């Protein structure tokens, strides 16, 4: 592991020097569309088609800063933009409709080498995402690339509970129920990702003891010059690992407003019925 970090660190230093000062840089763009979500259980299968919905992600560097920029469009007029950067040892998050910026201190929590390594990997993948995916996936004779990893139930519980805590103002009492439900699903979940560049299709599957969630659709990758959104250094920053009650309440309220923008789309697509399944 230390050897991997050292190699990534060296790449980060080289790439930072190469991209520093550039307002426009080459970046990888990934677009997911024609999305269909299915939930399979012993009692049957339910499917939801997200007609018109798309997710665009651009990965690269702006002024030498590793950057991931994403735009979600519902296809019905709702749009949410978000950006993530590795800057000064921090994993920095910013989203349209959210006041300020939120960060996770990688250097403090994991070490400065890991922060540099993550930045290096982001910039390397931004140069050519398809080649980067080739390095971590297995290809069969039909041109399908695949990757499978196991996710501990505790990690899923923590992530889901954190999202629920931010999105629901009065939802703190539900966190223990959510953790218990996820933990009861088994010791781990299997996450599988596969795609076929020739067909332009992808599949993302999460298998748990209680059922299988599958997301599939069209996938398009390209490399082109990109000008990323500028992230202001003047906005106030909040530590995700140390949010006070006032900041958390503000974040919950703003996340709820974003949720309201998309709730009619979710209802129309039938996602509410799937959640009750």
């Amino acid at each position: 592991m230390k050897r991997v970090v050292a190699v990534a660190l060296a790449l980060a230093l080289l790439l930072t020097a190469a991209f520093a000062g550039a307002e426009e840089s080459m970046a990888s763009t990934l677009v997911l569309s024609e999305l269909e979500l299915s939930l399979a259980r012993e009692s049957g299968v339910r499917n939801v088609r997200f007609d018109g919905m798309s997710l665009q992600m651009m990965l690269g560097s702006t002024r030498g800063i590793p950057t991931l920029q994403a735009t979600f469009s519902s296809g019905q007029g709702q749009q949410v933009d978000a950006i993530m950067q590795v800057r000064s040892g921090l994993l920095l998050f910013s989203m349209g409709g959210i006041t300020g910026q939120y960060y996770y201190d990688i250097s403090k929590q994991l070490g400065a080498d890991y922060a540099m390594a993550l930045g290096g990997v982001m910039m390397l993948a931004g140069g050519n995402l398809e080649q980067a995916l080739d390095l971590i996936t297995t290809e069969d004779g039909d041109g399908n690339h695949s990757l499978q990893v196991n996710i501990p139930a505790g990690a899923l519980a923590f992530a889901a509970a954190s999202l629920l805590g931010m999105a629901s103002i009065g939802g703190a009492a539900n966190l223990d129920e959510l953790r218990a439900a996820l933990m009861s699903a088994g010791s781990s979940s299997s996450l599988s990702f596969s795609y076929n560049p020739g067909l332009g299709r992808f599949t993302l599957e999460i298998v748990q003891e209680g059922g299988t969630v599958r997301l599939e659709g069209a996938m398009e990758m390209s490399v082109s010059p990109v000008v990323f959104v500028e992230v202001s250094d003047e906005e106030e920053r909040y530590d995700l690992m140390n949010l006070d009650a006032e900041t958390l309440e503000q974040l919950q309220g703003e996340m709820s407003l974003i949720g309201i923008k998309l709730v009619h789309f979710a209802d129309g697509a039938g996602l509410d019925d799937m959640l009750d399944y």
Side-chain angles (χ1 to χ4, degrees):
M1 183 66 184
K2 290 183 178 180
R3 183 177 180 181
V4 173
V5 172
V7 172
L9 179 59
L11 286 171
L13 293 172
L14 290 172
L15 289 168
T16 300
F19 285 108
E23 294 187 7
E24 182 180 75
S25 60
M26 299 300 291
S28 289
T29 298
L30 174 68
V31 179
L32 306 180
S33 58
E34 300 176 19
L35 300 175
E36 183 173 346
L37 182 69
S38 64
L39 174 59
R41 291 180 172 173
E42 291 184 1
S43 55
V45 180
R46 285 200 179 182
N47 298 286
V48 175
R49 291 180 60 88
F50 298 101
D51 295 325
M53 189 184 100
S54 65
L55 177 64
Q56 180 188 61
M57 293 176 282
M58 295 181 293
L59 180 62
S61 165
T62 174
R63 300 184 184 277
I65 301 170
T67 301
L68 171 65
Q69 185 171 306
T71 298
F72 166 81
S73 175
S74 72
Q76 298 186 8
Q78 298 92 357
Q79 181 171 307
V80 177
D81 298 291
I83 191 165
M84 181 183 79
Q85 293 185 325
V86 177
R87 179 187 295 201
S88 302
L90 305 178
L91 188 60
L92 192 65
F93 304 90
S94 182
M95 180 183 294
I98 300 297
T99 302
Q101 302 165 7
Y102 291 82
Y103 69 87
Y104 175 78
D105 194 331
I106 309 174
S107 294
K108 179 180 178 180
Q109 301 294 333
L110 301 175
D113 287 354
Y114 283 88
M116 289 292 289
L118 177 59
V121 169
M122 288 177 62
M123 294 176 75
L124 184 62
N128 194 317
L129 180 60
E130 189 167 350
Q131 287 185 359
L133 287 175
D134 287 346
L135 295 176
I136 62 174
T137 57
T138 302
E139 182 181 4
D140 63 18
D142 297 323
N144 298 307
H145 297 249
S146 60
L147 172 69
Q148 181 172 324
V149 295
N150 291 323
I151 307 174
L156 279 177
F158 175 80
S162 297
L163 288 173
L164 179 63
M166 289 188 293
S168 175
I169 295 177
N174 296 324
L175 298 185
D176 290 337
E177 296 177 15
L178 176 60
R179 291 191 185 97
L182 287 170
M183 294 301 288
S184 67
S187 59
S188 66
S189 299
S190 173
L191 185 149
S192 301
F193 171 70
S194 63
Y195 70 98
N196 188 309
L199 299 176
R201 305 290 298 179
F202 83 96
T203 300
L204 180 66
E205 206 172 63
I206 299 178
V207 180
Q208 289 183 294
E209 187 176 323
T212 299
V213 178
R214 180 186 177 98
L215 178 67
E216 57 186 311
M219 174 176 169
E220 180 182 351
M221 290 183 286
S222 62
V223 179
S224 60
V226 169
V227 177
F228 288 100
V229 172
E230 291 289 340
V231 178
S232 174
D233 290 326
E234 297 180 1
E235 285 194 78
E236 190 167 358
R237 294 180 180 174
Y238 305 97
D239 186 352
L240 280 171
M241 303 299 290
N242 188 30
L243 295 178
D244 57 42
E246 182 179 352
T247 302
L248 182 57
E249 183 176 357
Q250 171 184 286
L251 178 59
Q252 289 169 342
E254 292 173 339
M255 290 289 288
S256 295
L257 289 176
I258 292 174
I260 291 172
K261 289 173 59 179
L262 304 176
V263 68
H264 295 299
F265 164 69
D267 289 345
L271 188 58
D272 52 340
D273 293 333
M274 178 174 284
L275 293 175
D276 294 333
Y277 181 47

